[in-house]
Amino acid sequence: MAAAPKYKRVLLKLSGEALLGRQDYGIDPEVIHRVAGEIFDVAQLGVQVGLVIGGGNIFRGAGLAEGGMDRVTADHMGMLATIMNALALQDALERRGVIARVMSALQMHEICEDYIRRRAIRHLEKGRVVIFAAGTGNPFFTTDTAASLRAIEIGADILIKATKVDGVYSADPVKDPTAVRYGRLSFDQVLSDKLMVMDATAIVMCRDNDLPLVVFNLNGAGDLLRIVQGHELGTSVANDAFRTGTKND
Ligand code: UDP
């Protein structure tokens, strides 16, 4: 029998890139099916799961703005991209037998629900996975910040950020062979060392609201489940629960 979960309610942040697979644009059906399977395993344990998905596999506002587009319009397109990913994830989850609801910060009544906090919590309590789409609904923000915000709003016990590397490093491990992976960090250390975890707005939201964060590699099969069961994988970031500066692998 699977070990009991450590958390009652979690918020999982997936970047749009997580859906790319071997493609350089869009959604790899095989990958989204696998991701849905990882989420299925967690939901099976009785853990309430909220998801925030990015849009970087389709459009990123900053990239479009670099090409000359008005930034607000570009961010609107980025947020629409997150809705497309959310719909794809909802579909993949439902094909695995997980009931899921997309709730969008931008109104799009023909295809998904509006984000209404109390309704989102009700869905979670009924065991439905809630996919929070369109980020915060505002330009100049990221889906990392949306993930912190929604996690705090719904009272998640932890924010789990899925990445392509197995935690937070002192430098880019691909470019710098001396880079060290941190086991634990404080939010202040992430900010002062400018570590590439999430943008500063998202980190400050976690710090000020005492929301613990785990950064892990989504490519490790079963790792999401293990984290929810209380295993220490990847990098844990919290306030004073951890000493700063220890590279405790
Ligand atoms: N975005 C936004 N406001 C938000 C969240 C996202 O304007 O609250 C836009 C922004 O343009 C961003 C894009 O949506 O580049 C996709 O989100 P993000 O870059 O966070 O996706 P990820 O990198 O996680 O795939």
Side-chain angles (χ1 to χ4, degrees):
M1 215 181 83
K6 180 176 178 188
Y7 308 105
K8 189 165 172 276
R9 184 176 292 166
V10 303
L11 193 296
L12 174 66
K13 162 73 207 300
L14 301 168
S15 68
E17 275 184 4
L19 305 182
L20 277 178
R22 279 177 302 251
Q23 304 174 179
D24 30 286
Y25 182 84
I27 299 167
D28 182 332
E30 213 174 285
V31 170
I32 200 164
H33 184 69
R34 191 184 71 75
V35 170
E38 301 276 335
I39 297 165
F40 169 86
D41 290 343
V42 172
Q44 280 289 95
L45 274 188
V47 177
Q48 298 177 15
V49 184
L51 298 171
V52 167
I53 177 106
N57 55 323
I58 305 172
F59 287 127
R60 259 203 198 96
L64 293 172
E66 260 171 45
M69 188 184 280
D70 167 64
R71 177 62 194 261
V72 174
T73 304
D75 280 342
H76 286 158
M77 289 176 68
M79 286 188 270
L80 290 174
T82 73
I83 300 176
M84 290 196 236
N85 283 334
L87 291 174
L89 201 53
Q90 175 179 245
D91 173 80
L93 284 167
E94 294 201 328
R95 278 186 287 128
R96 296 292 306 230
V98 181
I99 301 174
R101 294 283 189 273
V102 175
M103 302 191 101
S104 171
L106 298 174
Q107 294 188 0
M108 198 140 327
H109 290 170
E110 282 74 12
I111 56 175
C112 58
E113 298 182 21
D114 291 345
Y115 169 64
I116 296 169
R117 178 178 163 270
R118 284 172 186 276
R119 195 169 287 170
I121 290 172
R122 191 79 191 109
H123 282 320
L124 292 167
E125 285 170 349
K126 287 190 170 176
R128 298 169 187 148
V129 169
V130 178
I131 310 169
F132 299 102
T136 64
N138 299 293
F140 302 104
F141 286 92
T142 63
T143 50
D144 281 350
T145 300
S148 307
L149 176 64
R150 295 290 182 247
I152 294 160
E153 284 184 281
I154 64 168
D157 303 312
I158 191 160
L159 171 56
I160 304 173
K161 176 167 160 128
T163 64
K164 289 182 296 185
V165 286
D166 52 358
V168 181
Y169 283 78
S170 54
D172 185 344
V174 181
K175 293 181 193 149
D176 183 349
T178 67
V180 186
R181 186 177 69 84
Y182 294 99
R184 294 175 182 177
L185 285 166
S186 73
F187 290 115
D188 282 334
Q189 190 175 26
V190 169
L191 292 169
S192 63
D193 293 1
K194 295 191 170 55
L195 297 172
M196 304 300 280
V197 182
M198 301 198 297
D199 55 273
T201 315
I203 293 292
V204 168
M205 291 274 305
C206 290
R207 183 192 66 186
D208 293 356
N209 294 280
D210 216 4
L211 172 70
L213 164 72
V214 172
V215 181
F216 84 110
N217 188 346
L218 186 64
N219 295 319
D223 281 357
L224 178 63
L225 182 67
R226 282 187 273 279
I227 288 170
V228 169
Q229 288 170 328
H231 294 256
E232 270 207 38
L233 291 174
T235 301
S236 300
V237 193
N239 276 328
D240 43 358
F242 303 104
R243 275 189 319 131
T244 58
T246 39
K247 293 173 184 175
N248 47 352
D249 256 0

